[in-house]
Amino acid sequence: MNTQAIDALFVHAFKRSGAFFVKGKGMYLVDADKKKYLDFGSGIAVNALGHAHPALIKAIAEQSQKLLHVSNLYFCKPQIALAKKILAKSFGEKIFFCNSGTEANEAAIKFARKQASLVSKTKYHVLSFTDGFHGRTYGALAATAQIKFHEGFGPMPAGFHYSPFNDVLAAKKILKSQEFAAIIVEPVQGESGVHRVSQEFISFLRDYATKNKIALIFDEIQCGMGRTGTLWHYEQLGVVPDMMTLAKPLGGGLPLGAVVCTAKSVAAIEPGDHGTTFGGNPLACALGETVLDIVSKKSFLKDVKSKGNYLAGKLAALAATYPIIAQVRASGLLVGVELKTDPLPLVAALMKNGLITIKAGHNTIRFIPPLIAAWDDIEKAVEIFEKTIATVG
């Protein structure tokens, strides 16, 4: 397969590995040369149920014979069913469906600003935190406090401010400087290398937002839907946001995002304020309901937590033998191995040896396996990782 010729067809917005995948089953992907790869990347945390899961195949077959698209001018059964289930299993009272994580964050920012405009026309500022990642469309990009993603795309929209993650004093100082409409935060920063929010910090943000009528938005696009061992990560914090953005695994492999809201946080929104042609697509929602039914089971979530702890422990134990490992950070089956050097050569070597992982910020390799990973899959991944790091590190 001539990957150079294929690559020439596309805008060079991605640096691809060269693998040409043709099918997948369970925890494995297969390329055009029939080589199998143990998938600990999950399509960047999307494939929570792995590949070709029987329940998803059934949902696709059934829904594809009914409706593929009707637009949001009308109601449809799969969208209503998924909305009811998400709201019943969360703090939410209202939901907005869209197509992706960046769209969900765009919508949440717009909702917060519209609500705040009723209080003051200058209450539009948005606070986010260093190393966070919220998407690549302009509002979400402006909320992403990593300048490397902004370069060449300026000027960014006005009113966005950044503060160090987990620094209460710094956040308090910035919050006092402007009239803020929203605070957006990832409870677990995935793209930057699996960094968890501290209890002190998130409690401060909740208290300050409540007292000052600021919308607190949790971006659970990567850490939600069971990834960290509870259905939503906010459950582990004992802190409830005003809005929560979801995407990645929500659509079972198809594009689907959502903003879960309290009724009060979106009371100002009227027809025409925001929209989407494809958001809440019937097929994606049918898959979403299937995924939610499986990952929300208590036994399933308990498994995710115990397997995540086991994977993190096995990887951390390797640090004694391989000093290239600086630190292992984890929350459920979202595990980051920080190295003392650029991780790209190791990521490439792991793939060559049949294990898919993903590079993250701060020299970190992310292990984000499908949530259906078996104990044997974890053992196999650690075995490949140790074998590979012995030759690279």
Side-chain angles (χ1 to χ4, degrees):
M1 193 69 63
N2 187 338
T3 55
Q4 283 188 327
I6 294 169
D7 195 45
L9 300 172
F10 299 95
V11 174
H12 289 173
F14 301 98
K15 188 174 182 180
R16 304 176 200 256
S17 69
F20 190 106
F21 293 123
V22 294
K23 64 180 180 179
K25 182 71 174 177
M27 292 291 297
Y28 284 87
L29 280 167
V30 181
D31 70 14
D33 296 321
K34 298 183 180 180
K35 180 179 177 179
K36 288 179 67 177
Y37 301 80
L38 181 58
D39 185 6
F40 267 56
S42 301
I44 317 180
V46 167
N47 299 313
L49 302 185
H51 303 279
H53 192 284
L56 295 180
I57 292 172
K58 183 175 182 240
I60 290 170
E62 291 178 357
Q63 185 57 42
S64 66
Q65 297 176 59
K66 298 174 184 176
L67 280 177
L68 290 181
H69 176 74
V70 292
S71 89
N72 280 298
L73 296 175
Y74 317 99
F75 292 111
C76 67
K77 195 172 180 179
Q79 193 180 96
I80 295 166
L82 180 57
K84 284 182 176 179
K85 285 189 176 180
I86 291 175
L87 296 180
K89 294 175 184 292
S90 71
F91 68 90
E93 298 168 304
K94 303 277 187 179
I95 195 165
F96 176 84
F97 286 118
C98 52
N99 304 288
S100 65
T102 193
E103 287 185 33
N105 286 331
E106 289 280 339
I109 290 165
K110 284 182 69 177
F111 296 166
R113 280 185 159 178
K114 178 71 185 294
Q115 195 67 38
S117 73
L118 301 184
V119 177
S120 167
K121 296 302 180 186
T122 56
K123 190 175 172 65
Y124 60 82
H125 296 269
V126 177
L127 179 64
S128 58
F129 303 98
T130 53
D131 289 328
F133 184 83
H134 301 293
R136 296 181 187 268
T137 52
Y138 267 101
L141 180 62
T144 294
Q146 297 190 60
I147 303 304
K148 66 182 180 181
F149 293 115
H150 300 178
E151 291 175 354
F153 299 108
M156 290 294 109
F160 288 83
H161 306 263
Y162 313 129
S163 185
F165 190 56
N166 283 335
D167 187 330
V168 171
L169 292 178
K172 187 182 292 186
K173 183 178 179 181
I174 294 176
L175 284 165
K176 287 181 177 179
S177 70
Q178 305 287 346
E179 290 186 274
F180 279 86
I183 300 168
I184 184 167
V185 62
E186 292 172 274
V188 183
Q189 294 184 333
E191 195 278 337
S192 73
V194 192
H195 295 275
R196 299 177 65 162
V197 74
S198 72
Q199 189 66 53
E200 178 193 17
F201 190 64
I202 205 66
S203 296
F204 160 74
L205 293 180
R206 177 68 278 173
D207 290 345
Y208 193 94
T210 301
K211 289 174 184 174
N212 293 276
K213 296 182 180 178
I214 299 170
L216 180 60
I217 304 164
F218 280 12
D219 178 339
E220 293 215 16
I221 289 160
Q222 189 161 154
C223 67
M225 288 289 286
R227 173 59 58 184
T228 66
T230 50
L231 188 55
W232 320 115
H233 192 80
Y234 79 80
E235 296 175 276
Q236 298 179 34
L237 300 168
V239 172
V240 178
D242 301 298
M243 300 185 214
M244 174 174 68
T245 55
L246 307 172
K248 288 194 181 290
L250 182 60
L254 290 187
L256 183 62
V259 187
V260 180
C261 323
T262 63
K264 186 178 179 181
S265 68
V266 290
I269 301 301
E270 299 174 342
D273 280 346
H274 196 56
T276 168
T277 298
F278 293 100
N281 168 270
L283 183 57
C285 284
L287 292 180
E289 186 182 5
T290 302
V291 174
L292 187 63
D293 284 345
I294 293 171
V295 305
S296 62
K297 291 177 182 176
K298 287 184 179 179
S299 57
F300 188 94
L301 292 168
K302 186 179 178 182
D303 240 20
V304 169
K305 189 171 286 188
S306 58
K307 287 173 181 175
N309 289 339
Y310 183 74
L311 173 59
K314 294 283 282 188
L315 292 169
L318 296 177
T321 307
Y322 305 100
I324 190 176
I325 298 174
Q327 190 179 21
V328 175
R329 296 179 294 273
S331 188
L333 280 171
L334 176 55
V335 182
V337 179
E338 184 180 334
L339 305 181
K340 295 175 183 176
T341 186
D342 181 6
L344 276 177
L346 182 54
V347 170
L350 287 168
M351 190 157 188
K352 188 176 180 181
N353 289 335
L355 178 65
I356 297 172
T357 57
I358 301 173
K359 180 185 181 296
H362 297 285
N363 289 339
T364 302
I365 295 177
R366 267 179 294 178
F367 288 73
I368 327 173
L371 302 183
I372 60 165
W375 295 103
D376 286 350
D377 297 321
I378 293 170
E379 293 287 1
K380 181 68 174 175
V382 174
E383 178 187 323
I384 295 172
F385 183 75
E386 182 172 15
K387 170 189 169 184
T388 309
I389 203 170
T391 62
V392 173

